Structures are given as structure tokens and as C-alpha cells.
Amino acid sequence: MNSQHYCLLLCLLFFAQASADIHYHDFVVQATPVKRLCNIHTIITVNGQFPGPTIEVRNGDTLVINVVNRAIYNVTIHWHGVRQMRTAWADGPEFVTQCPIKPGGNYTYRFTIEGQEGTLWWHAHSSWLRATVYGALIIYPKPGSSYPFPKPKREAPIILGEWWNANPIDVVNEATSTGAAPNNSDAYTINGQPGDLYNCSSQDTVIIPVSPGETNLYRIINAAMNNELFFSIAGHPMTVVATDASYTKPFTTPVLMLGPGQTTDILVTMNQPAGRYYIAALAYASAQGVAFDNTTTTAILEYKFAGCSVQPMLPLLPAFNDTFAATAFAAGIRSPTKVKLPDPVDEDLFFTVGIGLLDCQPGKTCGGLNGTRFAASMNNESFVLPSKLSILQAYKSGVPGVFTADFPRAPPVQFDYTGANVPRELWQPVQGTRGLKLKYGSVVQIVLQGTNIVAGENHPIHLHGYDFYILAQGFGNFDPATDKAKFNMVDPPLRNTMAVPVNGWAVIRFKADNPGVWLMHCHMDVHLTWGLAMVLIVEDGVGDLETLEPPPADLPPC
């Protein structure tokens, strides 16, 4: 490199560093009284806010967030969808990348947003604190850059949530003690409020003001614990422009379907008569015969000068079991331009995902199906979190006995995964803490195959530390002889959470270019509690830029 090129490189590096900001935040996790559904409840919040604070950054910025735990529970915070390049210590899942922050303790998360724009979010990743501990994470383009669509007049996050009148920690603890399914939630929420259709809720219904003719950007986040949700705005078509902080080919739709963990950015033009229009969400419940929260949450899109006495119009939402609507929406999501897929594939993996049952312990009474305990698994392995040390700490320190690296690359037994009569001997998974090692830089392709054990269901699968391309989705059993022809090798969508269709399959691909230990799990927290998870252990590459950073000095002790 000659001196002229060297000076140019230094100037570019200096400009890149000068244009990026460092954002400092304090998150105080604490008990806070709130009134919902006619009663005062004490919930766990961040800074007394529900939902928690919205974080706004630009692509390239660094976040330094000091989390102080003043609650009575252990806590961690996960920055959902952030790539965490070489900073797995800041990812947040309890006992995977860190031990939890104990009551009275604190931990500072430090990471940089690299090459991401759009809407992500943050949430607790310890027990079921995620029910109330969550907020939006908005990533704007770098200075001098802009959206790949006309600048909207206004922007706002719309966070869908799930509410229990009971303490969510008590709900999951009671279910875990008996092996039964947890009680369903009592309401859904939009920006923390249930809306007009619930008791004692109308006066606090969220109102989003608009003016005629403007086009606005709304950032939809599904923060619900255990439900995929249909979403619509009465009288207003929505143009999807991004999902999971990745831009998409714009397409217009009357309804969205978001699995827990997913985000969708939409443009909406205010071209209807001045009035008040309901924004609404209700469950997409794909498991036949399984109880769910069959209620509807609302907010109000209110035109200027409409008058608060005008009765809002409800949108026409799909039926709770409308798999066709969910499938049609997913099929519309595409990358904005032709994609250069990582190739060739080095790791061709096949993971089954689904529900199972465990035998009840001798002398105990269990609340699962036919006196068993509910479980869930990937490749018949039901994941058990460690309790004395995180997997990442054990891996980097060489501590034995915390996990094993023998997760199967394919199901131990092949069967008719989505058939109506799966043999009972296949219903019981094996419990353990198993991971799968990957070489740095390897190209990984995973077939995620749903099963019909207990009940087939749409599973929103989230991979920490990575975005991945969704090459294809389908129903029934994946058949490589015929289904590979269906792969979208041109403009597949890039996501961090994807819905494996009910009694169906999906294929994802990514390059393992981020060293660390990364949790892959169903984002329905009941399924994660039951063990529908595993970890990918990506080894260091060559040199500092391909090596995990050292653990921070304030990493919480176990």
C-alpha cells in the first residue's frame, strides 16, 4: 500500500469513528405499581416505565447500558436481533452468555451496532420477566444516509404485549412445579394498554394522532410471551418496508402476522375520511385443541379534528386459525435486491422442533397430558439451562461438566414427523445441556422440521447473534429430492426470528462469522421453559477481528 492510499484509509477510519456516537443509559430494574383491568398490580419494570424506555441509535453507534437490579428476582437483558459482533458477553440470555444479575447487583452491557438499520427491541431473558420488561430499540441510518423509501412525516413504535393479572413469575413457577401448561394471559396490550374491548381500560387506550395526507412509519414489535399475533389497521392498507431490522421489497397488505420476537416496519398513508380507526391485534393460534387467550387488543388511529366522540371502526382480522393468511403474509417478504448467498454449504443440518412429554417422577402428581409433564425439544434433546456457570464462561475457561458439544446434526430417529399417528415411544425427549460446535467462517444450512407430537404448531425460532436467510418454507415433511427446487436463491428475506409453519418446515442459511455461544430457541417462552432450545458454539477464527473479546471485569458472578 502506498502512502497516499494509507492516508486515505486513515482518513476514512477517522471519519467513520467521528460520525459514530456512544450512548450511555442507566436501566433500573424495579417493582412498579400499575393499574390494568380494574386493579392495581405490582410489576417489574425498567425505570418505572411499562413498556420500558425506547433506545434510539444510528447504525455504527455504541451502547453502554448499566443495568441495576433493584427487584427481588435475578435478571438479564437481551438485545434482541443485535448481531453482537465479538461481544457475546453482552447478549444476555441467562446461563448461556452470563450468570444473572442478582438482586442488588449491576452489570454494564457494552456493544456496537454494526451494519443494521430498522427496528429491534430489548427484553429480559431470565424466567418470565420478559412479560413486562421490554422496550423498542430503533436503529436509524448513518449520518448522510437515508431510508430506501420516502421520508415519513412521523414515526412511532407499536409494541404488542401480553398481560397476566397474576404475577408472571408465579404463573411459570406453578406450571413448572406440576409439569402442566401455564395459565393463559388475561389480555393483550398495545404499548402497555389493553384497549377499549377490555374492562376498565377505555380511558387509557393508546391514541396515535395523525393528519390527513401524511405517510407515517410505524414500527411493529411482537413482545407477547406465548402468542403469534395478527395485526391490522381499520381502513388503512400497510406497506411493509422492513422486518427484523432488514429492509424488504415494499409490498402492501391488509394484515400482518408477527411471531413473538419479530418486528415489522410499515408505511401507512392517511388517505381515509377524517375519523377514528382501530388498530387491533389478536392471536394466530395454530395448535388444534390447545387453549389460548382469545381476546383482542386495540389502540386508536385518530385524525386531527375527528372528535373523540366518533366511534372507531374495527379492522377485519383473520380467524385465529387462519394458517392461509399467515402463510400468505410470510410469502410476501423478500430482500430488496438480489442476494449474494453464502456458499458452498459446509454444515448441512436437520433439526426437528416440537412438543413432547416426560414421565412424572415417582410418587408425584403431574399436570401434563395423561399425568405426564410437558416438554419440548430439538432433535429429541430437551434443553436444560445450567445453574452454576454460563455455557460461554465454561467454554472459554475450559470448565467441564456444564455442557457437552454433542448435539446431534440430525434426528436420532427418522419418522413421519408430521403424520397423524406418531408412535408413542417417540414422544419422550432426552434432557441435557448440549451444544454444536461450528468452525469460524463455515456456511451453515439448517432444515427446521416441525413435528406433530402432542400437537403440531407454528414455532417462531430465534437465533441469537445472527441474521439468516430464509430459503424456503413448506408443509408436511421436508423432502430434499423435491423441496430443494423450491429454494429462493435470488431474494430470500433476512431475519433473526422465523416462523416454522404448523406441521411444516423451513430452511435457513447463514455464515458462522461471529464467535461465541449463541442460543437458538422457540420464542414462545412456554416452549423455551419446556426445553425447545439448543446452543451453537462458534469457534474463534484467525486474528483479533475473528476472536471473541475477553470477558468484561464486571461480568456477574454465579
Side-chain angles (χ1 to χ4, degrees):
M1 181 183 294
N2 61 40
S3 59
Q4 190 174 17
H5 286 160
Y6 182 72
C7 289
L8 178 61
L9 179 60
L10 286 179
C11 289
L12 289 172
L13 287 172
F14 175 79
F15 177 78
Q17 291 172 348
S19 63
D21 292 328
I22 301 175
H23 302 262
Y24 296 90
H25 296 272
D26 288 314
F27 272 22
V28 179
V29 180
Q30 62 189 60
T32 303
V34 301
K35 186 174 183 179
R36 296 293 186 279
L37 303 184
C38 311
N39 293 299
I40 300 293
H41 304 267
T42 298
I43 64 172
I44 305 302
T45 67
V46 167
N47 297 350
Q49 301 176 42
F50 176 58
T54 294
I55 295 177
E56 297 180 291
V57 298
R58 291 185 180 274
N59 180 7
D61 287 355
T62 294
L63 279 163
V64 180
I65 302 176
N66 180 40
V67 177
V68 179
N69 187 6
R70 293 184 183 160
I72 63 172
Y73 306 108
N74 290 340
V75 70
T76 64
I77 301 293
H78 169 52
W79 316 95
H80 186 110
V82 173
R83 285 293 314 272
Q84 296 288 0
M85 300 301 294
R86 302 175 53 242
T87 54
W89 305 105
D91 191 44
E94 180 182 51
F95 291 114
V96 176
T97 58
Q98 67 168 98
C99 295
I101 307 167
K102 297 175 183 176
N106 69 287
Y107 176 47
T108 300
Y109 293 88
R110 302 170 178 86
F111 56 91
T112 298
I113 307 292
E114 299 185 46
Q116 295 184 279
E117 294 178 13
T119 305
L120 297 174
W121 63 302
W122 57 265
H123 61 80
H125 213 300
S126 183
S127 185
W128 274 27
L129 287 182
R130 181 168 77 80
T132 56
V133 178
Y134 59 80
L137 171 54
I138 297 171
I139 308 169
Y140 297 106
K142 292 182 177 181
S145 299
S146 60
Y147 299 132
F149 45 80
K151 185 178 180 180
K153 180 70 174 178
R154 313 187 204 200
E155 300 185 18
I158 297 176
I159 310 179
L160 311 178
E162 198 167 1
W163 174 267
W164 277 264
N165 284 329
N167 179 348
I169 303 298
D170 293 341
V171 171
V172 66
N173 286 347
E174 180 182 351
T176 301
S177 68
T178 66
N183 292 336
N184 290 319
S185 54
D186 296 289
Y188 300 114
T189 59
I190 294 177
N191 290 353
Q193 294 292 342
D196 284 356
L197 305 185
Y198 296 93
N199 291 335
C200 310
S201 301
S202 292
Q203 67 180 22
D204 296 312
T205 296
V206 170
I207 294 176
I208 298 178
V210 300
S211 295
E214 65 187 17
T215 297
N216 298 334
L217 174 65
Y218 297 116
R219 303 172 180 273
I220 319 302
I221 300 166
N222 185 357
M225 292 288 288
N226 295 316
N227 282 279
E228 296 168 305
L229 295 168
F230 287 122
F231 175 93
S232 188
I233 305 175
H236 293 75
M238 301 169 287
T239 299
V240 175
V241 292
T243 58
D244 293 358
S246 292
Y247 294 119
T248 66
K249 278 188 175 72
F251 74 98
T252 301
T253 176
V255 64
L256 315 178
M257 200 288 282
L258 295 91
Q262 292 185 322
T263 71
T264 303
D265 293 358
I266 56 172
L267 293 175
V268 182
T269 299
M270 305 308 145
N271 56 8
Q272 297 301 302
R276 306 171 83 228
Y277 299 82
Y278 273 129
I279 300 167
L282 53 71
Y284 165 50
S286 58
Q288 291 187 12
V290 176
F292 66 98
D293 180 351
N294 192 14
T295 61
T296 301
T297 181
T298 57
I300 297 173
L301 195 73
E302 185 174 275
Y303 279 71
K304 193 175 182 181
F305 308 125
C308 60
S309 63
V310 177
Q311 178 62 30
M313 176 193 305
L314 271 170
L316 183 63
L317 282 159
F320 72 87
N321 58 355
D322 193 341
T323 293
F324 177 83
T327 304
F329 173 71
I333 302 171
R334 293 285 185 269
S335 287
T337 58
K338 186 175 180 179
V339 165
K340 181 174 175 54
L341 282 169
D343 198 61
V345 173
D346 302 299
E347 294 278 3
D348 201 351
L349 309 173
F350 191 107
F351 293 172
T352 56
V353 296
I355 309 303
L357 301 171
L358 294 171
D359 289 337
C360 194
Q361 300 96 322
K364 290 195 174 183
T365 300
C366 293
L369 192 65
N370 298 324
T372 60
R373 299 178 61 87
F374 281 111
S377 67
M378 302 178 74
N379 276 355
N380 205 47
E381 298 286 341
S382 189
F383 188 73
V384 178
L385 283 172
S387 59
K388 300 189 183 304
L389 194 67
S390 77
I391 298 173
L392 182 58
Q393 288 170 283
Y395 167 59
K396 294 307 291 184
S397 302
V399 176
V402 176
F403 73 97
T404 59
D406 56 353
F407 185 86
R409 284 173 157 76
V413 177
Q414 295 185 11
F415 58 98
D416 182 3
Y417 307 112
T418 57
N421 298 297
V422 178
R424 285 298 178 116
E425 59 266 23
L426 298 173
W427 286 40
Q428 183 149 317
V430 177
Q431 291 185 296
T433 308
R434 292 175 174 84
L436 179 62
K437 280 190 176 180
L438 299 172
K439 295 288 187 185
Y440 182 93
S442 59
V443 175
V444 183
Q445 182 167 290
I446 307 176
V447 175
L448 295 163
Q449 173 68 62
T451 66
N452 197 33
I453 298 173
V454 181
E457 190 166 358
N458 189 302
H459 292 282
I461 302 297
H462 172 47
L463 175 58
H464 289 227
Y466 285 89
D467 290 326
F468 49 75
Y469 290 105
I470 304 174
L471 301 187
Q473 296 172 264
F475 293 98
N477 298 330
F478 177 77
D479 183 351
T482 56
D483 288 332
K484 285 188 175 180
K486 303 172 186 175
F487 285 8
N488 177 2
M489 309 297 281
V490 178
D491 57 356
L494 187 65
R495 304 208 67 161
N496 64 58
T497 306
M498 68 88 50
V500 178
V502 54
N503 283 327
W505 52 268
V507 182
I508 65 172
R509 187 184 295 185
F510 62 96
K511 185 176 182 179
D513 57 0
N514 192 12
V517 172
W518 306 107
L519 187 64
M520 182 181 227
H521 66 99
C522 182
H523 219 276
M524 291 185 180
D525 270 36
V526 59
H527 294 173
L528 175 58
T529 301
W530 290 344
L532 210 169
M534 59 85 64
V535 290
L536 296 174
I537 304 161
V538 180
E539 298 175 335
D540 286 339
V542 178
D544 289 345
L545 296 181
E546 296 181 359
T547 300
L548 179 69
E549 292 181 359
D554 63 341
L555 193 69
C558 283

